[in-house]
Amino acid sequence: MHYKVAFIGFGTVGQGLAELLQEKASLLKQKYNLECSVVAISDIQKGSVFQEEGLDLNKILPLAKEGKSLESYSAGQKGWDSLKTIAESNADIIVEATYSNFDTGEPALSHFRKALELGKSVITTNKGPIALAYPELINLAQKKGGSLRFEGTVMSGTPTLSLATEALAGAEINSIEGILNGTTNYILTNMEAGRSYNEVLKEAQELGYAEADPTADVEGWDALGKIVILANVLMGANLKVSGCNRVGITALTQNDIEKAKQEGKRWKLIASARKIDEEIEAGVAPQKLSLDDTLAGISGVTNAVKLTTDTLGQVTMVGPGAGRKETGFSLLSDLLAIHRLRK
Amino acid sequence: MHYKVAFIGFGTVGQGLAELLQEKASLLKQKYNLECSVVAISDIQKGSVFQEEGLDLNKILPLAKEGKSLESYSAGQKGWDSLKTIAESNADIIVEATYSNFDTGEPALSHFRKALELGKSVITTNKGPIALAYPELINLAQKKGGSLRFEGTVMSGTPTLSLATEALAGAEINSIEGILNGTTNYILTNMEAGRSYNEVLKEAQELGYAEADPTADVEGWDALGKIVILANVLMGANLKVSGCNRVGITALTQNDIEKAKQEGKRWKLIASARKIDEEIEAGVAPQKLSLDDTLAGISGVTNAVKLTTDTLGQVTMVGPGAGRKETGFSLLSDLLAIHRLRK
């Protein structure tokens, strides 16, 4: 099967996928009979280019990496905006990798709607539209015959959604607990080793784990977006980020952490969702775990999610939660899932 | 889609699946559009019964649980042996749940061959034939159009194989390490709490975790069978149990365990497979892990497998490795995988 792909947004994650498509082209063909052409890229900063027969990634990727305009590429149609690229290119799969906006979901939400309306498939790492409008979007996809996959919205390439919806098909998920933000877990791990919050935050920023403005991580917004996605997709909830409890790690003191240590416990920022009567509640808050809890053993930037099921009890998956290649891989795994479930 | 299923072997695991098919019938129909009739059961001790239009599980399950002959069921054809049941019943899916034999794979290997030769699909928890003859069997399945799924051969219902072959499709697995035997992990966890090997083994036997003859567990045979399956299926190896290194836990003393504790380490029985040059080596041996290793934190009868991949680094899955319902679920998840990948 041959797929034609258009990238909307071509930053780190989009480039990560493009690199994997190059590196793994022969594996994908031999092992999975999957071939792929990138027919268009539209990026608000890097410009836009469309070439019906497929762009030459050996020429386009260096332009993106060197910060040059994609419009200096030697062939193809230039200057289309994102919506025109979705509608008028011959792509059948849209890779939406613009920034996440949890208030309006835009501009990504309009990209999703346009693509799905046209019966195209969307694969994405963009948390905003999924957290805000999953039921609407999955209905639209089903009605128009496209697919919507978004593995990378939760634990980058660690296949949480695929585990739960495919590998664990037939099991009912009654609750979810996870360490879904690597930055805060890195900070807590290092504070337990005796260092101060400010010192570790600064180091995390230098290492590229934390943003210059760390609010989304340390106040729990990022983890909350992810648990809302998990609750809505895996437990059939219809939650909004704005309606959930959220406590970050900024109120935790060195003293709290020491005290937990003396009790044989450990603070972790836990995102959780559970059924209470027939309602589903989700939220984020620091929790003091005993050391024999699997989640207590997750250190540094690693993420983990623990699913409590009816037939299997607890199943936990541990893996990376961020990274260029890792998140690029989540998109490749979405593409392979579409291919696997269609052929 | 409606499937017709025959059980070859109807002990704990087979009954576990039959119960799930009853309990989850409406979920399977509504959520996955999957319906299932059990048309035949053939068990060397319980007898054999075939009914073309489907047996009544409400009547058959109590007979099995009460230890009565299935041939006292009020309808259907009685007395067929396993091979005749496979060949002459109208089942399209054969549930092979007889005992595992790592020397010859029999009688299960003949059951597999007969079913696959006829283009039927096989779902199984039987480690013997998979550890001994996976390449032959998967080729036969592909040639004749049937499927062969065996999730329950590794970590009962915890979906290790499905994780690796589907959710992680596109990633290359470079090494595998796991705690794949719950009995030995239970013994080591309790020895670390200061109890003696003999005392804990006796308790494990009373709790049903260990067999009366504990050799297969404590000498590492069970874990070795599982890592050979993982290496052959996930890494393309062609290993036999007989050609691999195997050290069990019986030589570990209370003193070894205390010494490790003082070093901030912990003994675990680790099954592993890795590429060395272009060869794949697999084996089982006790290893002293530092406490920040994810596998060091796995206590009691819980199992875990850590996959080291090219694109994602390490991904670990933790879950139950045994149990009536859990292992029955592995067969349900095989059935759903066949359904998902075909429809």
Side-chain angles (χ1 to χ4, degrees):
Chain A
M1 191 95 85
H2 192 119
Y3 297 91
K4 295 181 289 297
V5 170
F7 285 83
I8 307 301
F10 201 58
T12 308
V13 170
Q15 292 172 42
L17 172 61
E19 286 163 13
L20 285 172
L21 290 175
Q22 271 197 308
E23 284 169 28
K24 291 192 175 260
S26 68
L27 171 88
L28 295 174
K29 170 81 180 118
Q30 281 166 31
K31 192 163 174 186
Y32 305 104
N33 191 29
L34 182 150
E35 289 175 289
C36 197
S37 309
V38 177
V39 296
I41 300 174
S42 179
D43 183 281
I44 200 155
Q45 289 175 324
K46 299 182 182 71
S48 189
V49 55
F50 160 62
Q51 191 176 17
E52 194 173 348
E53 65 277 22
L55 298 160
D56 182 347
L57 291 178
N58 290 318
K59 293 184 179 154
I60 275 281
L61 269 169
L63 294 176
K65 283 189 202 167
E66 292 160 18
K68 291 183 186 156
S69 167
L70 301 181
E71 305 200 355
S72 59
Y73 179 77
S74 57
Q77 173 73 43
K78 314 290 163 59
W80 286 4
D81 67 17
S82 53
L83 289 170
K84 186 162 178 165
T85 301
I86 293 166
E88 299 193 15
S89 77
N90 58 334
D92 37 42
I93 296 193
I94 305 300
V95 180
E96 218 292 345
T98 65
Y99 57 94
S100 293
N101 172 330
F102 285 109
D103 291 328
T104 65
E106 294 297 355
L109 189 52
S110 297
H111 299 153
F112 280 52
R113 285 183 177 136
K114 171 65 86 178
L116 295 173
E117 188 61 54
L118 293 167
K120 300 190 176 199
S121 292
V122 174
I123 63 180
T124 192
T125 56
N126 199 314
K127 302 174 196 56
I130 305 295
L132 285 166
Y134 170 69
E136 172 207 327
L137 295 168
I138 196 73
N139 280 338
L140 184 58
Q142 281 161 357
K143 198 170 112 194
K144 299 291 184 173
S147 298
L148 171 64
R149 305 276 312 191
F150 43 89
E151 187 62 83
T153 56
V154 181
M155 272 169 61
S156 80
T158 307
T160 321
L161 292 167
S162 185
L163 171 75
T165 55
E166 282 140 37
L168 290 177
E172 212 172 310
I173 294 171
N174 294 321
S175 68
I176 305 172
E177 285 174 282
I179 294 177
L180 299 179
N181 180 272
T183 309
T184 45
N185 203 50
Y186 182 84
I187 293 174
L188 293 177
T189 301
N190 280 282
M191 283 177 77
E192 201 182 325
R195 300 170 62 195
S196 78
Y197 173 84
N198 286 327
E199 181 193 343
V200 184
L201 174 61
K202 192 158 165 266
E203 183 185 73
Q205 286 166 326
E206 284 163 9
L207 289 167
Y209 297 154
E211 306 284 333
D213 175 359
T215 311
D217 290 326
V218 298
E219 297 295 359
W221 289 106
D222 174 70
L224 184 60
K226 292 167 178 174
I227 194 72
V228 164
I229 290 172
L230 288 173
N232 290 355
V233 176
L234 305 185
M235 299 175 74
N238 193 5
L239 299 171
K240 307 269 179 223
V241 167
S242 55
C244 297
N245 287 325
R246 180 190 44 77
V247 182
I249 63 164
T250 49
L252 276 182
T253 64
Q254 193 61 52
N255 192 31
D256 294 327
I257 285 169
E258 271 309 312
K259 232 172 111 182
K261 217 168 154 179
Q262 285 159 19
E263 296 165 19
K265 296 195 171 179
R266 183 174 284 159
W267 285 100
K268 291 289 181 191
L269 186 64
I270 300 295
S272 61
R274 70 192 71 241
K275 274 185 206 152
I276 295 183
D277 299 322
E278 284 307 290
E279 294 291 300
I280 292 161
E281 275 190 18
V284 172
Q287 287 182 25
K288 213 161 40 166
L289 305 182
S290 60
L291 295 184
D292 59 1
D293 188 313
T294 318
L295 296 181
I298 307 304
S299 60
V301 291
T302 303
N303 284 14
V305 68
K306 179 160 79 179
L307 306 173
T308 303
T309 68
D310 59 345
T311 42
L312 282 180
Q314 295 183 337
V315 174
T316 304
M317 186 150 65
V318 183
R324 174 193 185 93
K325 199 162 199 164
E326 291 82 353
T327 313
F329 177 76
S330 75
L331 292 165
L332 179 61
S333 94
D334 285 338
L335 182 60
L336 278 161
I338 289 175
H339 178 58
R340 188 165 62 239
L341 298 173
R342 272 197 198 171
K343 67 178 176 188
Chain B
M1 191 97 82
H2 192 120
Y3 297 91
K4 293 180 289 298
V5 170
F7 285 82
I8 307 301
F10 201 58
T12 307
V13 170
Q15 292 172 42
L17 172 60
E19 286 163 11
L20 284 171
L21 290 175
Q22 271 196 308
E23 283 169 28
K24 291 189 177 262
S26 69
L27 171 88
L28 295 174
K29 171 80 181 122
Q30 282 167 29
K31 192 161 174 189
Y32 305 104
N33 191 29
L34 182 149
E35 288 175 288
C36 199
S37 309
V38 176
V39 295
I41 301 174
S42 179
D43 184 281
I44 200 156
Q45 290 175 324
K46 299 184 182 71
S48 189
V49 55
F50 161 62
Q51 189 176 19
E52 192 172 350
E53 65 275 24
L55 299 161
D56 182 346
L57 291 178
N58 289 319
K59 292 185 181 155
I60 275 283
L61 269 169
L63 294 178
K65 283 190 203 166
E66 291 160 20
K68 292 186 185 152
S69 167
L70 301 182
E71 306 199 356
S72 59
Y73 179 75
S74 58
Q77 172 75 44
K78 312 288 162 60
W80 287 5
D81 68 15
S82 53
L83 289 170
K84 185 162 175 159
T85 301
I86 292 167
E88 299 193 17
S89 78
N90 59 333
D92 37 40
I93 297 193
I94 305 299
V95 180
E96 217 293 344
T98 66
Y99 57 96
S100 292
N101 172 330
F102 285 110
D103 291 327
T104 64
E106 296 295 358
L109 189 52
S110 297
H111 300 153
F112 281 52
R113 285 184 178 134
K114 170 66 86 182
L116 295 173
E117 189 62 53
L118 293 167
K120 300 188 176 200
S121 293
V122 174
I123 64 179
T124 192
T125 55
N126 198 315
K127 302 175 197 54
I130 305 295
L132 286 166
Y134 170 69
E136 173 208 326
L137 296 169
I138 196 75
N139 281 337
L140 184 58
Q142 282 162 357
K143 199 171 112 196
K144 299 291 184 173
S147 298
L148 171 62
R149 306 274 314 190
F150 43 89
E151 187 61 84
T153 57
V154 181
M155 272 168 62
S156 79
T158 307
T160 321
L161 293 166
S162 183
L163 171 76
T165 55
E166 281 139 37
L168 290 176
E172 212 171 310
I173 294 171
N174 293 321
S175 66
I176 305 172
E177 284 172 283
I179 294 176
L180 299 179
N181 180 272
T183 308
T184 45
N185 203 51
Y186 181 84
I187 293 174
L188 292 176
T189 302
N190 281 281
M191 282 176 78
E192 203 183 324
R195 301 172 61 196
S196 79
Y197 174 84
N198 287 327
E199 181 193 342
V200 184
L201 174 60
K202 192 157 165 267
E203 182 185 75
Q205 285 166 327
E206 285 163 7
L207 288 166
Y209 298 155
E211 306 285 332
D213 175 358
T215 310
D217 290 326
V218 299
E219 296 296 357
W221 289 107
D222 175 71
L224 184 60
K226 292 167 177 174
I227 193 72
V228 163
I229 291 172
L230 289 172
N232 290 356
V233 176
L234 305 184
M235 299 174 76
N238 194 4
L239 300 171
K240 307 267 179 225
V241 166
S242 55
C244 297
N245 288 324
R246 178 190 46 77
V247 182
I249 63 164
T250 50
L252 277 181
T253 64
Q254 192 62 51
N255 191 33
D256 295 328
I257 285 170
E258 270 309 312
K259 234 172 111 182
K261 216 168 155 181
Q262 284 158 20
E263 296 165 19
K265 295 193 170 177
R266 182 174 287 159
W267 285 100
K268 290 290 181 191
L269 185 65
I270 301 295
S272 61
R274 68 192 71 241
K275 273 186 205 151
I276 296 181
D277 301 323
E278 284 307 290
E279 295 291 299
I280 293 161
E281 276 190 16
V284 172
Q287 286 181 28
K288 213 162 39 168
L289 305 181
S290 60
L291 294 184
D292 59 1
D293 188 314
T294 318
L295 296 182
I298 307 304
S299 59
V301 290
T302 303
N303 283 15
V305 67
K306 179 160 79 177
L307 307 172
T308 304
T309 68
D310 59 344
T311 42
L312 282 182
Q314 295 181 337
V315 175
T316 304
M317 187 150 62
V318 183
R324 175 191 184 94
K325 199 162 198 164
E326 292 82 352
T327 313
F329 177 75
S330 75
L331 292 165
L332 179 61
S333 98
D334 286 339
L335 183 61
L336 278 160
I338 289 175
H339 178 60
R340 187 165 63 238
L341 298 171
R342 273 198 195 168
K343 67 176 177 191

